[in-house]
Amino acid sequence: MLPDKGCVGFNCLQNGCWYTAMAFFNSFTAISTAILAGGIVLSASAGQSNADETLTRTELCGKLQLQTQHALTEHAEAKRAAKAKALQKQAANFCASNKQAQGIRDYAQALKLLGVRPVDD
């Protein structure tokens, strides 16, 4: 059936002019799909920029060193403060001697002894 010249928008269904109505719904579907695809691309690029901001081990050593120092001053009276201080010194030595993974583990252990959650950036 060919479209009737009097068909406009939703009135087409009432007038029996289904061709124009289907064209309207198809264009609506195409626009909705394009908007959805654009949103997916934007969210994927936002997730990718967060991955680019990942800290290196050396940077993480520095952050954990500051956090541990701050925690030791706040929790100087804690039972495990002496053990945490020893772990901090050991971690600093590891980080300085290019053994950042071991240093990061020791900083994290020292912070846990003080009841502080290590940064996980």
Side-chain angles (χ1 to χ4, degrees):
M1 171 183 260
L2 293 175
D4 184 19
K5 301 223 186 247
C7 286
V8 177
F10 290 105
N11 292 334
C12 296
L13 294 176
Q14 294 173 350
N15 296 338
C17 189
W18 61 271
Y19 181 79
T20 305
M22 290 307 295
F24 172 78
F25 287 120
N26 285 341
S27 64
F28 178 76
T29 304
I31 291 170
S32 300
T33 304
I35 291 171
L36 180 62
I40 291 171
V41 168
L42 286 176
S43 65
S45 65
Q48 184 178 14
S49 67
N50 288 340
D52 294 341
E53 296 173 7
T54 303
L55 296 176
T56 64
R57 287 182 178 173
T58 304
E59 292 169 336
L60 189 53
C61 271
K63 272 192 153 193
L64 288 170
Q65 181 181 17
L66 291 174
Q67 186 184 14
T68 305
Q69 186 61 44
H70 182 69
L72 280 169
T73 56
E74 283 188 3
H75 304 284
E77 302 300 321
K79 292 182 196 179
R80 300 177 182 175
K83 175 67 175 165
K85 183 72 174 168
L87 281 169
Q88 180 196 26
K89 282 186 177 184
Q90 185 176 335
N93 289 335
F94 279 134
C95 286
S97 62
N98 207 22
K99 296 179 181 176
Q100 289 89 0
Q102 290 172 306
I104 290 167
R105 281 193 293 271
D106 282 350
Y107 278 130
Q109 184 62 35
L111 288 165
K112 287 177 187 175
L113 287 174
L114 297 171
V116 176
R117 184 173 178 233
V119 293
D120 54 357
D121 293 333

